Amino acid sequence: MRQRRRIFGALLAAAVAVGGVVVLGTASQVTATAAAGGTGTGYLHTSGNKIIDSTGATVRLTGINWFGMETDNKTFHGLWASRTWRQQLDQMAQLGYNTLRVPFSDDALKSDAKATGINDFTNPDLVGLSPLQILDKVIDYVGQKGMRVILDRHRPTSAGQSALWYTAGVPETTWITNWKALAQRYTGNTTVVGADLHNEPHAEGTNPAAAGSCWGCGDTARDWRLAAERAGNAILAVQPNWLIFVEGVSCPSGGLSNVWDNDPTNDEDCGWWGGNLSKAGEFPVRLNVANRLVYSPHEYATSVYNQPWFSAPDYPANMPAIWDHYWGYLYKQNIAPIMMGEFGTTLANPVDKVWLEKLMAYTGTGVNGMSFTYWSWNPNSGDTGGIVGDDWTTVNQAKQSILQPYLIPPTGGGTNPTTTTTTTTTTGGGGTGACTSVWKLDNSWQGGFQGSLTVTNRGTTAANPWQVTFTLLAGTTIGSGWNGTFTQSGTTVTATAPSHAPSLGAGASVALGFTANGTTGAPATVKLNASACT
C-alpha cells in the first residue's frame, strides 16, 4: 500500500463545536489588488504548459503552504507565536515565495466557525474575527506584497483527510456550494487566482470492492476526474477568471494495491495520495472555459513514506522517469501546466536531500519552469517539518538553500522598514581587489531583525572560494542565514561559499541574507577574503 500519512503537531486551542450554516456569497468583499512583477498582472490563465498573465507574460508560481485553517483552530497556525501575522508574510515574500496556498476545511466556512489559537498580544487585530475575516485580511496583505493566493479545500471537516471529495456529513452539494461562495466572495480580487478543488483524493478498499477515488473509471460516485469537472465548471460559472487546480489520485482504480489477492487488476502502479495523474492524458479534465486547467500533483520523500523507488539500485537516476510517468508528461507534452501543490521532507535522511535537489532540477529553472508550493511554512507538520523552526522565525537553511535558486520573488509593496548603507574601498588583497558592500534591513521585530548584506567583488580576478566576514553589535547572534554557510565567534560572523557556488567572479555579487537575535544594527568591518569593504 502506497499512501501518504501526515500527523500534525499538537494544537494550542481546543476544538470548537460548530453547527452553523454555510456562509454563502453574500460575504463582504475585500479590496481588489492587482499583483505585478514576479506573479504577473491581472488574472492568470494557461497556454499549453505555461501559466500566463493578462498581458500574455509567462508566470511561474513559486510558493509556500501555510496551514491551519483546515484544523480545529480553523485559522493559520503560528498566530500564537511571538510575531505578527504580517511579519510572517513579510518573511515569506523576502525569502522569495510569491504564492500562498491556503488549506481549509468546510468547517471553517460555517457561519458560526470560531478561530482559535491567536496570541492577543502579537495579533490583537485578529481577535474576535471569524476564520473568513482573518482570511480576508491575509489575502489583502498578500496582494499588497505582489503575492498570489491559491485556496485549497483540504478536508470536508477538520477531523481529517477523506479518500473521496465528499462524506456522509459533507455531501458533494455542500462542497460545490462552498466553492461557489468563495468564488463569489473574491470576485474582482486578482490576488486570489484559483481553486485547488480537493486535497489528495486516494484509494480505499481493494478490488472488486474499491471504495476510493478512481480516475477514468466512469463511476460518478468515485471518478475524481468527473467530480473535478462538475466542481470546476460550477466555479467557472461564478468566476470564469479562476484557475482550476486538479490533483491526481493514488491508484487509478480507486482500490489499494494488494499483491496477495490474486487479482491482477488491483496490482496497478500506485503513487502518492493526489500524486498519480498517469490517466489524465487518456481521460483529461474537461472545463467549460478554455485555458483554466492546471494539474497539481503532490510529491514526497522518505520522511512521509519510503516508496520502493527510493531503494532502487539506480536511485536517484530513476526518478525523472517516475515523475514523467505520474505527471511530468503532461508538462513535457505541452498538455497543461503543472503546479506541484505539495512536496516536502524533514531532510533527516540523506536520501531525501538528493530527492529534493533532483526534484527541483526536474522542475526547471527560471520563469518557464514548473510552478510549485512547498509544504510547508509551518514547523508543526509531523512528517516534513517546515521552512521555519519552532520559533516561527528561524529559517531552515538546508531546505531554503535547495529551493532558493528556483524561487521567483514577488514584486510589491508592504510596510517593511528599509535602510540601505553603501560603502566602497579601493584597497585589495587576497587576489580579489576592491570590494563593496550594501546592507538592506528587510524587517525588524522585538528582539530581532532580518536583512541582506550584498558583497560585490570589484577586483579583476575571481575569489575562489570566497569568504565574507563582518561584525555585529555585542550580544547579537545569527539566527539563520542563506546563500552561504554562517558561523559566529563573538561578534564576528563568517559566511563561507556553498559547495555548489564556490567562486565569486570579478564584478559578481553575493547577497547574504540572515535573521539575527538581538539589537538591530548594520554589519560592520565587512571583508571579502581579507580585503576590507568597510
Side-chain angles (χ1 to χ4, degrees):
M1 180 174 66
R2 304 172 188 175
Q3 66 182 40
R4 173 162 179 253
R5 296 185 176 94
R6 179 183 299 139
I7 302 173
F8 292 109
L11 305 180
L12 295 190
V16 177
V18 293
V21 297
V22 174
V23 178
L24 297 178
T26 55
S28 60
Q29 300 289 317
V30 296
T31 303
T33 303
T39 55
T41 300
Y43 281 112
L44 306 180
H45 56 286
T46 70
S47 176
N49 65 3
K50 291 180 170 54
I51 297 174
I52 59 178
D53 72 359
S54 60
T55 71
T58 300
V59 170
R60 187 181 191 183
L61 305 177
T62 62
I64 192 84
N65 285 268
W66 188 9
F67 70 75
M69 196 175 174
E70 82 282 20
T71 71
D72 285 340
N73 292 92
K74 299 181 181 63
T75 193
F76 301 92
H77 284 181
L79 299 182
W80 54 68
S82 58
R83 62 191 314 217
T84 71
W85 61 274
R86 287 186 178 88
Q87 287 172 333
Q88 296 207 50
L89 291 168
D90 287 342
Q91 190 175 14
M92 293 177 203
Q94 289 153 10
L95 290 174
Y97 298 101
N98 66 29
T99 301
L100 184 67
R101 181 173 180 261
V102 180
F104 67 89
S105 77
D106 293 83
D107 280 350
L109 307 183
K110 293 180 177 179
S111 61
D112 60 351
K114 306 293 184 184
T116 62
I118 299 171
N119 186 328
D120 60 5
F121 179 77
T122 55
N123 292 304
D125 54 328
L126 303 184
V127 175
L129 298 185
S130 72
L132 278 172
Q133 288 171 331
I134 293 174
L135 179 62
D136 289 346
K137 290 176 73 72
V138 167
I139 288 171
D140 185 62
Y141 191 65
V142 162
Q144 292 176 40
K145 305 200 75 61
M147 298 170 68
R148 303 287 194 154
V149 169
I150 298 169
L151 300 176
D152 156 46
R153 196 283 198 131
H154 209 74
R155 306 170 174 177
T157 72
S158 59
Q161 304 273 97
S162 61
L164 298 169
W165 55 95
Y166 63 91
T167 63
V170 184
E172 179 176 303
T173 53
T174 298
W175 173 55
I176 292 178
T177 296
N178 282 351
W179 266 127
K180 291 168 65 178
L182 287 170
Q184 183 64 48
R185 185 182 189 90
Y186 297 113
T187 292
N189 188 333
T190 56
T191 297
V192 185
V193 295
D196 189 336
L197 299 177
H198 176 65
N199 190 70
E200 296 184 347
H202 56 271
E204 198 167 65
T206 55
N207 286 339
S213 291
C214 64
W215 191 291
C217 69
D219 181 349
T220 56
R222 298 195 303 112
D223 194 330
W224 168 237
R225 174 248 196 165
L226 297 179
E229 291 176 352
R230 293 192 295 271
N233 286 325
I235 291 169
L236 291 172
V238 175
Q239 170 51 291
N241 293 306
W242 269 12
L243 296 174
I244 302 299
F245 296 87
V246 180
E247 300 181 26
V249 294
S250 57
C251 304
S253 72
L256 300 170
S257 180
N258 183 353
V259 296
W260 307 110
D261 63 2
N262 296 317
D263 181 357
T265 64
N266 199 35
D267 302 329
E268 62 187 322
D269 186 18
C270 298
W272 297 108
W273 286 7
N276 191 334
L277 286 158
S278 60
K279 295 292 187 181
E282 180 181 0
F283 301 103
V285 172
R286 299 157 298 186
L287 299 176
N288 294 335
V289 181
N291 302 318
R292 297 295 184 270
L293 174 64
V294 179
Y295 286 113
S296 186
H298 290 188
E299 183 69 28
Y300 278 96
T302 66
S303 65
V304 174
Y305 185 77
N306 193 10
Q307 299 276 19
W309 47 76
F310 295 123
S311 303
D314 58 345
Y315 179 81
N318 61 328
M319 293 309 300
I322 291 171
W323 295 324
D324 283 349
H325 168 67
Y326 283 127
W327 45 268
Y329 74 97
L330 296 164
Y331 183 88
K332 291 186 175 182
Q333 295 177 22
N334 204 36
I335 294 171
I338 288 292
M339 201 287 294
M340 276 196 302
E342 294 182 18
F343 63 105
T345 170
T346 60
L347 287 186
N349 187 335
V351 168
D352 288 12
K353 181 176 184 292
V354 175
W355 166 84
L356 186 56
E357 291 172 340
K358 290 289 185 181
L359 178 62
M360 296 313 297
Y362 179 83
T363 67
T365 58
V367 73
N368 290 314
M370 301 180 198
S371 293
F372 59 82
T373 49
Y374 186 80
W375 188 276
S376 61
W377 180 251
N378 307 50
N380 59 321
S381 178
D383 51 14
T384 66
I387 289 297
V388 289
D390 290 339
D391 61 357
W392 294 85
T393 300
T394 303
V395 174
N396 184 313
Q397 190 53 44
K399 296 179 183 180
Q400 184 66 24
S401 293
I402 297 174
L403 298 174
Q404 196 82 54
Y406 303 90
L407 299 177
I408 298 178
T411 302
T415 56
N416 306 336
T418 301
T419 302
T420 302
T421 304
T422 305
T423 54
T424 306
T425 177
T426 56
T427 61
T432 65
C435 58
T436 60
S437 66
V438 177
W439 165 244
K440 179 174 179 289
L441 178 65
D442 293 317
N443 197 11
S444 63
W445 53 89
Q446 185 176 1
F449 62 96
Q450 177 177 313
S452 60
L453 177 66
T454 300
V455 176
T456 301
N457 177 10
R458 296 298 184 189
T460 57
T461 60
N464 189 7
W466 60 263
Q467 175 179 283
V468 171
T469 61
F470 57 89
T471 59
L472 296 175
L473 295 175
T476 300
T477 57
I478 292 289
S480 62
W482 47 97
N483 297 333
T485 301
F486 287 73
T487 58
Q488 184 167 357
S489 177
T491 60
T492 299
V493 177
T494 301
T496 56
S499 59
H500 65 273
S503 179
L504 189 65
S509 301
V510 59
L512 299 169
F514 62 89
T515 62
N517 303 309
T519 304
T520 301
T525 322
V526 182
K527 297 180 181 179
L528 172 62
N529 286 13
S531 294
C533 300
T534 59

